[in-house]
Amino acid sequence: MTAAIEDAAHAVAPASVMGLLPARPRLLGLGEPAHGEDVLLRLRNDLFRRLVEQEGYRTITIESDCMRGLVVDDYVTSGSGVLDDVMERGFSHGWFNVSAANRELVRWMRAHNDGRPAAEHVRFAGFDGPLEITDAASPRQALTALHACLADRVDADLLPCTAETLDRLLGADDRWSDPAAMTDPSRSVGRTPDARRLRLLADDLVALLDARTPDLIAASRDGWHRARLYGRTATGLLRYHFWMADPSPGRMARLLDLRASMMAANLLALAERGPTLVHAHNGHLQRGKSTMRMGGRPLEWWGAGAIVSARLGEGYAFLATALGAIGHRGVEAPPPDTVEGLLYALPGDRYVVDARRLAAVLGEAPPAPRVSPWFGYSPLDPDQVAGHDGIVFVKDVRPG
């Protein structure tokens, strides 16, 4: 078996990745099984850089706030801002902005674009909603930005409301982002009369945006793409807040669905713009259902990758990343009867494996699932191997 698996393993390089696929996908996803490990992010940086240079990818998007990502995109395309400030304001989730590898990625993108025409620029995007584990952002930024975009292009009497009305209905931002609302639906403002009216106004603004598409594209296609992002984010956040106020047992499952839908909508919009490289947790990008336990209850949902794959078919491809040992996290060498254990036995420190060939070698009796002693690492699900296009394996992960 080891020899057959070794035959399916190749160097982590663009040619090896593309050799697994029938054609260049519009969206090529690289997952990670643990956040915060710069070794994995530097592997991503190296692979993505070569895919940009050799395969013509023109956008890099990561699992970070889509609104904050605009700050990074402005910097890498125009040099707008100072790198320290861009790293502070351009990333979400608490660990992305302090990552040295993410800083290196942004610095490389800026250097790559410097002096090139706009058509050859590599763009940056976040594709997550403005959501954290503990709270969801106020819809103010997205909703008022959408209103401002339309106010610049259409007659005032076509707008469903004034900017002042939006400001009054939105109120203080901290009432939207109250962390207590994540566990206590009664603390959410998502079903107040003001929030319900905001949902209707947001829907009317998006409808007006759609109706004025020719004018907006003629003025600036980039501006149109950005306005659509504002519309998706405003309506998505208002919907998310509405369901945060739901006291029913299905509340958390609904919130997971909504987050995945927001991610998928952003990915599909990026695919419209051109070939895009995607980086996020394996659970967000895999084709099979994602699962987790929360409050002792099992939850499952279709992640962004599953939604996008269903829509794009061969236009979407996904490489999962698997790890051997993470010694500084207490994750030792994997048991030999797991997928990771079989890959750990191969020579070499890192490689990309043809996942479907691997699944065929494993046969109808998949290996045992690996159990991680560290909550931050999610081992491969043996039942999902055949649904991946490839597996990037890193034998040993060390700090730094």
Side-chain angles (χ1 to χ4, degrees):
M1 180 181 289
T2 300
I5 295 174
E6 190 171 351
D7 287 343
H10 309 279
V12 182
S16 301
V17 171
M18 292 300 157
L20 302 176
L21 309 173
R24 184 184 71 174
R26 300 281 285 180
L27 292 172
L28 174 55
L30 173 65
E32 63 177 5
H35 288 316
E37 299 296 333
D38 269 6
V39 169
L40 302 183
L41 298 184
R42 289 195 171 98
L43 182 150
R44 172 207 65 188
N45 290 355
D46 181 62
L47 180 60
F48 279 11
R49 174 182 58 79
R50 290 188 287 163
L51 285 165
V52 165
E53 294 170 349
Q54 298 175 30
E55 298 294 334
Y57 281 90
R58 285 292 174 266
T59 299
I60 293 174
T61 185
I62 72 169
E63 179 195 337
S64 184
D65 181 339
C66 57
M67 296 294 290
R68 287 176 176 259
L70 297 173
V71 174
V72 183
D73 188 54
D74 286 344
Y75 176 78
V76 300
T77 55
S78 69
S80 174
V82 177
L83 182 57
D84 285 345
D85 181 60
V86 168
M87 295 304 301
E88 178 66 28
R89 296 190 300 114
F91 294 87
S92 61
H93 298 343
W95 55 83
F96 292 148
N97 62 343
V98 298
S99 162
N102 279 341
R103 188 182 186 91
E104 291 161 14
L105 175 67
V106 173
R107 186 185 289 115
W108 172 79
M109 293 178 71
R110 177 64 201 132
H112 175 90
N113 291 337
D114 192 23
R116 295 176 186 265
E120 297 179 13
H121 281 177
V122 180
R123 308 290 297 270
F124 180 91
F127 73 92
D128 201 354
L131 308 170
E132 296 287 353
I133 295 172
T134 56
D135 60 78
S138 164
R140 175 183 300 278
Q141 182 185 5
L143 193 54
T144 57
L146 174 61
H147 186 279
C149 286
L150 290 169
D152 285 343
R153 304 301 308 174
V154 304
D155 294 336
D157 57 0
L158 293 177
L159 295 168
C161 65
T162 64
E164 291 74 21
T165 297
L166 288 181
D167 185 64
R168 176 175 56 80
L169 293 172
L170 285 162
D173 287 345
D174 58 4
R175 70 185 189 128
W176 293 92
S177 58
D178 180 4
M182 183 54 71
T183 54
D184 182 357
S186 69
R187 296 290 295 270
S188 171
V189 298
R191 296 191 178 186
T192 61
D194 286 351
R196 291 175 186 271
R197 188 174 175 201
L198 284 168
R199 287 188 77 186
L200 293 174
L201 291 172
D203 183 69
D204 283 340
L205 287 167
V206 171
L208 181 58
L209 171 64
D210 289 342
R212 294 292 163 153
T213 293
D215 287 338
L216 292 166
I217 289 179
S220 168
R221 185 171 287 272
D222 273 353
W224 173 69
H225 280 298
R226 186 166 288 206
R228 291 173 69 210
L229 172 62
Y230 295 149
R232 289 192 304 274
T233 306
T235 55
L237 275 173
L238 287 163
R239 189 178 298 115
Y240 194 90
H241 281 288
F242 178 86
W243 287 102
M244 283 185 74
D246 176 35
S248 78
R251 174 177 181 264
M252 287 309 305
R254 174 77 73 164
L255 293 179
L256 290 168
D257 282 345
L258 290 175
R259 183 187 180 195
S261 295
M262 290 177 72
M263 285 183 164
N266 286 331
L267 289 176
L268 291 166
L270 290 169
E272 289 180 25
R273 290 171 54 170
T276 298
L277 298 167
V278 186
H279 188 255
H281 196 280
N282 286 337
H284 293 308
L285 299 183
Q286 66 192 27
R287 290 187 174 90
K289 277 192 171 180
S290 301
T291 60
M292 67 180 296
R293 296 188 70 86
M294 184 171 288
R297 296 182 60 227
L299 298 169
E300 64 175 24
W301 70 101
W302 292 110
I307 296 169
V308 168
S309 179
R311 292 278 296 273
L312 296 184
E314 292 183 353
Y316 177 73
F318 168 55
L319 307 175
T321 295
L323 306 178
I326 323 172
H328 61 287
R329 304 291 190 183
V331 181
E332 303 301 334
D337 62 342
T338 62
V339 175
E340 290 90 345
L342 292 168
L343 297 176
Y344 196 82
L346 300 183
D349 293 328
R350 57 186 63 180
Y351 35 84
V352 60
V353 181
D354 184 328
R356 293 184 177 90
R357 286 184 62 188
L358 175 63
V361 171
L362 299 177
E364 297 181 0
R370 186 183 190 185
V371 178
S372 171
W374 175 46
F375 73 94
Y377 164 56
S378 300
L380 280 181
D381 179 351
D383 293 334
Q384 299 230 20
V385 168
H388 307 329
D389 295 289
I391 297 171
V392 174
F393 185 74
V394 178
K395 181 170 282 190
D396 292 296
V397 175
R398 297 180 176 86

PDB file of all heavy atoms in Angstrom, residues 345-367:
ATOM      1  N   ALA A 345       4.265   8.083   6.784  1.00  0.00           N
ATOM      2  CA  ALA A 345       5.261   7.028   6.528  1.00  0.00           C
ATOM      3  C   ALA A 345       6.032   7.244   5.230  1.00  0.00           C
ATOM      4  O   ALA A 345       7.073   6.608   5.010  1.00  0.00           O
ATOM      5  CB  ALA A 345       4.569   5.663   6.494  1.00  0.00           C
ATOM      6  N   LEU A 346       5.554   8.153   4.365  1.00  0.00           N
ATOM      7  CA  LEU A 346       6.230   8.403   3.099  1.00  0.00           C
ATOM      8  C   LEU A 346       7.486   9.236   3.320  1.00  0.00           C
ATOM      9  O   LEU A 346       7.568  10.019   4.270  1.00  0.00           O
ATOM     10  CB  LEU A 346       5.297   9.133   2.128  1.00  0.00           C
ATOM     11  CG  LEU A 346       3.988   8.433   1.748  1.00  0.00           C
ATOM     12  CD1 LEU A 346       3.236   9.273   0.728  1.00  0.00           C
ATOM     13  CD2 LEU A 346       4.239   7.034   1.209  1.00  0.00           C
ATOM     14  N   PRO A 347       8.473   9.118   2.440  1.00  0.00           N
ATOM     15  CA  PRO A 347       9.658   9.980   2.544  1.00  0.00           C
ATOM     16  C   PRO A 347       9.308  11.417   2.153  1.00  0.00           C
ATOM     17  O   PRO A 347       8.351  11.657   1.422  1.00  0.00           O
ATOM     18  CB  PRO A 347      10.635   9.358   1.540  1.00  0.00           C
ATOM     19  CG  PRO A 347       9.761   8.665   0.549  1.00  0.00           C
ATOM     20  CD  PRO A 347       8.581   8.145   1.318  1.00  0.00           C
ATOM     21  N   GLY A 348      10.071  12.346   2.647  1.00  0.00           N
ATOM     22  CA  GLY A 348       9.838  13.746   2.299  1.00  0.00           C
ATOM     23  C   GLY A 348       9.028  14.458   3.360  1.00  0.00           C
ATOM     24  O   GLY A 348       8.302  13.846   4.147  1.00  0.00           O
ATOM     25  N   ASP A 349       9.161  15.793   3.381  1.00  0.00           N
ATOM     26  CA  ASP A 349       8.508  16.611   4.402  1.00  0.00           C
ATOM     27  C   ASP A 349       7.154  17.154   3.974  1.00  0.00           C
ATOM     28  O   ASP A 349       6.315  17.436   4.824  1.00  0.00           O
ATOM     29  CB  ASP A 349       9.417  17.792   4.776  1.00  0.00           C
ATOM     30  CG  ASP A 349      10.684  17.326   5.476  1.00  0.00           C
ATOM     31  OD1 ASP A 349      10.604  16.310   6.187  1.00  0.00           O
ATOM     32  OD2 ASP A 349      11.734  17.962   5.289  1.00  0.00           O
ATOM     33  N   ARG A 350       6.963  17.344   2.675  1.00  0.00           N
ATOM     34  CA  ARG A 350       5.682  17.892   2.202  1.00  0.00           C
ATOM     35  C   ARG A 350       5.472  17.499   0.747  1.00  0.00           C
ATOM     36  O   ARG A 350       6.412  17.441  -0.042  1.00  0.00           O
ATOM     37  CB  ARG A 350       5.629  19.409   2.380  1.00  0.00           C
ATOM     38  CG  ARG A 350       6.751  20.180   1.702  1.00  0.00           C
ATOM     39  CD  ARG A 350       6.700  21.658   2.050  1.00  0.00           C
ATOM     40  NE  ARG A 350       6.898  21.895   3.473  1.00  0.00           N
ATOM     41  CZ  ARG A 350       6.900  23.098   4.033  1.00  0.00           C
ATOM     42  NH1 ARG A 350       6.685  24.171   3.300  1.00  0.00           N
ATOM     43  NH2 ARG A 350       7.109  23.239   5.331  1.00  0.00           N
ATOM     44  N   TYR A 351       4.236  17.249   0.393  1.00  0.00           N
ATOM     45  CA  TYR A 351       3.917  16.846  -0.972  1.00  0.00           C
ATOM     46  C   TYR A 351       2.419  17.006  -1.186  1.00  0.00           C
ATOM     47  O   TYR A 351       1.649  17.208  -0.230  1.00  0.00           O
ATOM     48  CB  TYR A 351       4.354  15.396  -1.246  1.00  0.00           C
ATOM     49  CG  TYR A 351       4.221  14.468  -0.081  1.00  0.00           C
ATOM     50  CD1 TYR A 351       3.010  13.848   0.214  1.00  0.00           C
ATOM     51  CD2 TYR A 351       5.313  14.217   0.755  1.00  0.00           C
ATOM     52  CE1 TYR A 351       2.898  13.007   1.301  1.00  0.00           C
ATOM     53  CE2 TYR A 351       5.196  13.376   1.845  1.00  0.00           C
ATOM     54  CZ  TYR A 351       3.981  12.771   2.119  1.00  0.00           C
ATOM     55  OH  TYR A 351       3.854  11.951   3.194  1.00  0.00           O
ATOM     56  N   VAL A 352       2.006  16.955  -2.448  1.00  0.00           N
ATOM     57  CA  VAL A 352       0.584  16.974  -2.784  1.00  0.00           C
ATOM     58  C   VAL A 352       0.214  15.596  -3.319  1.00  0.00           C
ATOM     59  O   VAL A 352       0.928  15.030  -4.150  1.00  0.00           O
ATOM     60  CB  VAL A 352       0.249  18.097  -3.790  1.00  0.00           C
ATOM     61  CG1 VAL A 352       1.011  17.941  -5.097  1.00  0.00           C
ATOM     62  CG2 VAL A 352      -1.249  18.151  -4.060  1.00  0.00           C
ATOM     63  N   VAL A 353      -0.887  15.069  -2.818  1.00  0.00           N
ATOM     64  CA  VAL A 353      -1.318  13.712  -3.134  1.00  0.00           C
ATOM     65  C   VAL A 353      -2.608  13.764  -3.943  1.00  0.00           C
ATOM     66  O   VAL A 353      -3.517  14.542  -3.642  1.00  0.00           O
ATOM     67  CB  VAL A 353      -1.562  12.901  -1.835  1.00  0.00           C
ATOM     68  CG1 VAL A 353      -1.997  11.475  -2.160  1.00  0.00           C
ATOM     69  CG2 VAL A 353      -0.306  12.901  -0.977  1.00  0.00           C
ATOM     70  N   ASP A 354      -2.677  12.937  -4.972  1.00  0.00           N
ATOM     71  CA  ASP A 354      -3.907  12.771  -5.745  1.00  0.00           C
ATOM     72  C   ASP A 354      -4.933  12.104  -4.821  1.00  0.00           C
ATOM     73  O   ASP A 354      -4.836  10.916  -4.500  1.00  0.00           O
ATOM     74  CB  ASP A 354      -3.623  11.904  -6.971  1.00  0.00           C
ATOM     75  CG  ASP A 354      -4.826  11.770  -7.887  1.00  0.00           C
ATOM     76  OD1 ASP A 354      -5.969  11.779  -7.392  1.00  0.00           O
ATOM     77  OD2 ASP A 354      -4.619  11.617  -9.102  1.00  0.00           O
ATOM     78  N   ALA A 355      -5.925  12.863  -4.373  1.00  0.00           N
ATOM     79  CA  ALA A 355      -6.852  12.365  -3.356  1.00  0.00           C
ATOM     80  C   ALA A 355      -7.707  11.214  -3.879  1.00  0.00           C
ATOM     81  O   ALA A 355      -8.022  10.276  -3.133  1.00  0.00           O
ATOM     82  CB  ALA A 355      -7.735  13.504  -2.859  1.00  0.00           C
ATOM     83  N   ARG A 356      -8.093  11.277  -5.148  1.00  0.00           N
ATOM     84  CA  ARG A 356      -8.956  10.214  -5.661  1.00  0.00           C
ATOM     85  C   ARG A 356      -8.173   8.908  -5.830  1.00  0.00           C
ATOM     86  O   ARG A 356      -8.694   7.816  -5.580  1.00  0.00           O
ATOM     87  CB  ARG A 356      -9.602  10.667  -6.966  1.00  0.00           C
ATOM     88  CG  ARG A 356     -10.577  11.827  -6.730  1.00  0.00           C
ATOM     89  CD  ARG A 356     -11.315  12.257  -7.978  1.00  0.00           C
ATOM     90  NE  ARG A 356     -12.263  13.314  -7.650  1.00  0.00           N
ATOM     91  CZ  ARG A 356     -11.993  14.614  -7.674  1.00  0.00           C
ATOM     92  NH1 ARG A 356     -10.776  15.019  -8.005  1.00  0.00           N
ATOM     93  NH2 ARG A 356     -12.909  15.506  -7.357  1.00  0.00           N
ATOM     94  N   ARG A 357      -6.919   8.996  -6.241  1.00  0.00           N
ATOM     95  CA  ARG A 357      -6.084   7.794  -6.296  1.00  0.00           C
ATOM     96  C   ARG A 357      -5.850   7.246  -4.891  1.00  0.00           C
ATOM     97  O   ARG A 357      -5.855   6.025  -4.680  1.00  0.00           O
ATOM     98  CB  ARG A 357      -4.745   8.104  -6.966  1.00  0.00           C
ATOM     99  CG  ARG A 357      -4.829   8.278  -8.484  1.00  0.00           C
ATOM    100  CD  ARG A 357      -3.452   8.481  -9.085  1.00  0.00           C
ATOM    101  NE  ARG A 357      -2.581   7.317  -8.868  1.00  0.00           N
ATOM    102  CZ  ARG A 357      -1.283   7.317  -9.170  1.00  0.00           C
ATOM    103  NH1 ARG A 357      -0.719   8.415  -9.682  1.00  0.00           N
ATOM    104  NH2 ARG A 357      -0.554   6.238  -8.957  1.00  0.00           N
ATOM    105  N   LEU A 358      -5.656   8.145  -3.939  1.00  0.00           N
ATOM    106  CA  LEU A 358      -5.481   7.705  -2.566  1.00  0.00           C
ATOM    107  C   LEU A 358      -6.727   6.983  -2.069  1.00  0.00           C
ATOM    108  O   LEU A 358      -6.633   5.908  -1.450  1.00  0.00           O
ATOM    109  CB  LEU A 358      -5.177   8.903  -1.667  1.00  0.00           C
ATOM    110  CG  LEU A 358      -5.083   8.617  -0.163  1.00  0.00           C
ATOM    111  CD1 LEU A 358      -3.936   7.658   0.130  1.00  0.00           C
ATOM    112  CD2 LEU A 358      -4.901   9.923   0.613  1.00  0.00           C
ATOM    113  N   ALA A 359      -7.908   7.538  -2.350  1.00  0.00           N
ATOM    114  CA  ALA A 359      -9.154   6.899  -1.925  1.00  0.00           C
ATOM    115  C   ALA A 359      -9.302   5.514  -2.553  1.00  0.00           C
ATOM    116  O   ALA A 359      -9.774   4.570  -1.902  1.00  0.00           O
ATOM    117  CB  ALA A 359     -10.344   7.774  -2.289  1.00  0.00           C
ATOM    118  N   ALA A 360      -8.887   5.387  -3.807  1.00  0.00           N
ATOM    119  CA  ALA A 360      -8.972   4.081  -4.481  1.00  0.00           C
ATOM    120  C   ALA A 360      -8.036   3.069  -3.827  1.00  0.00           C
ATOM    121  O   ALA A 360      -8.381   1.890  -3.670  1.00  0.00           O
ATOM    122  CB  ALA A 360      -8.642   4.236  -5.957  1.00  0.00           C
ATOM    123  N   VAL A 361      -6.850   3.525  -3.431  1.00  0.00           N
ATOM    124  CA  VAL A 361      -5.900   2.632  -2.759  1.00  0.00           C
ATOM    125  C   VAL A 361      -6.448   2.190  -1.403  1.00  0.00           C
ATOM    126  O   VAL A 361      -6.320   1.023  -1.008  1.00  0.00           O
ATOM    127  CB  VAL A 361      -4.541   3.345  -2.572  1.00  0.00           C
ATOM    128  CG1 VAL A 361      -3.625   2.515  -1.672  1.00  0.00           C
ATOM    129  CG2 VAL A 361      -3.880   3.588  -3.919  1.00  0.00           C
ATOM    130  N   LEU A 362      -7.101   3.108  -0.705  1.00  0.00           N
ATOM    131  CA  LEU A 362      -7.628   2.776   0.612  1.00  0.00           C
ATOM    132  C   LEU A 362      -8.798   1.813   0.533  1.00  0.00           C
ATOM    133  O   LEU A 362      -9.087   1.103   1.501  1.00  0.00           O
ATOM    134  CB  LEU A 362      -8.060   4.065   1.338  1.00  0.00           C
ATOM    135  CG  LEU A 362      -6.938   5.086   1.597  1.00  0.00           C
ATOM    136  CD1 LEU A 362      -7.496   6.331   2.253  1.00  0.00           C
ATOM    137  CD2 LEU A 362      -5.826   4.482   2.432  1.00  0.00           C
ATOM    138  N   GLY A 363      -9.481   1.797  -0.613  1.00  0.00           N
ATOM    139  CA  GLY A 363     -10.557   0.834  -0.830  1.00  0.00           C
ATOM    140  C   GLY A 363     -11.823   1.159  -0.073  1.00  0.00           C
ATOM    141  O   GLY A 363     -12.068   2.309   0.332  1.00  0.00           O
ATOM    142  N   GLU A 364     -12.646   0.168   0.141  1.00  0.00           N
ATOM    143  CA  GLU A 364     -13.954   0.367   0.747  1.00  0.00           C
ATOM    144  C   GLU A 364     -13.887   0.438   2.262  1.00  0.00           C
ATOM    145  O   GLU A 364     -14.892   0.716   2.917  1.00  0.00           O
ATOM    146  CB  GLU A 364     -14.896  -0.761   0.327  1.00  0.00           C
ATOM    147  CG  GLU A 364     -15.169  -0.794  -1.174  1.00  0.00           C
ATOM    148  CD  GLU A 364     -16.124  -1.911  -1.550  1.00  0.00           C
ATOM    149  OE1 GLU A 364     -16.552  -2.645  -0.638  1.00  0.00           O
ATOM    150  OE2 GLU A 364     -16.440  -2.026  -2.741  1.00  0.00           O
ATOM    151  N   ALA A 365     -12.754   0.150   2.851  1.00  0.00           N
ATOM    152  CA  ALA A 365     -12.607   0.224   4.308  1.00  0.00           C
ATOM    153  C   ALA A 365     -11.644   1.356   4.651  1.00  0.00           C
ATOM    154  O   ALA A 365     -10.428   1.150   4.730  1.00  0.00           O
ATOM    155  CB  ALA A 365     -12.088  -1.097   4.867  1.00  0.00           C
ATOM    156  N   PRO A 366     -12.143   2.575   4.800  1.00  0.00           N
ATOM    157  CA  PRO A 366     -11.256   3.708   5.051  1.00  0.00           C
ATOM    158  C   PRO A 366     -10.537   3.576   6.383  1.00  0.00           C
ATOM    159  O   PRO A 366     -11.003   2.878   7.299  1.00  0.00           O
ATOM    160  CB  PRO A 366     -12.201   4.912   5.047  1.00  0.00           C
ATOM    161  CG  PRO A 366     -13.546   4.355   5.349  1.00  0.00           C
ATOM    162  CD  PRO A 366     -13.556   2.974   4.769  1.00  0.00           C
ATOM    163  N   PRO A 367      -9.387   4.235   6.501  1.00  0.00           N
ATOM    164  CA  PRO A 367      -8.642   4.186   7.765  1.00  0.00           C
ATOM    165  C   PRO A 367      -9.457   4.768   8.919  1.00  0.00           C
ATOM    166  O   PRO A 367     -10.493   5.419   8.724  1.00  0.00           O
ATOM    167  CB  PRO A 367      -7.404   5.038   7.471  1.00  0.00           C
ATOM    168  CG  PRO A 367      -7.313   5.097   5.991  1.00  0.00           C
ATOM    169  CD  PRO A 367      -8.710   5.028   5.482  1.00  0.00           C
TER     170      PRO A 367
END
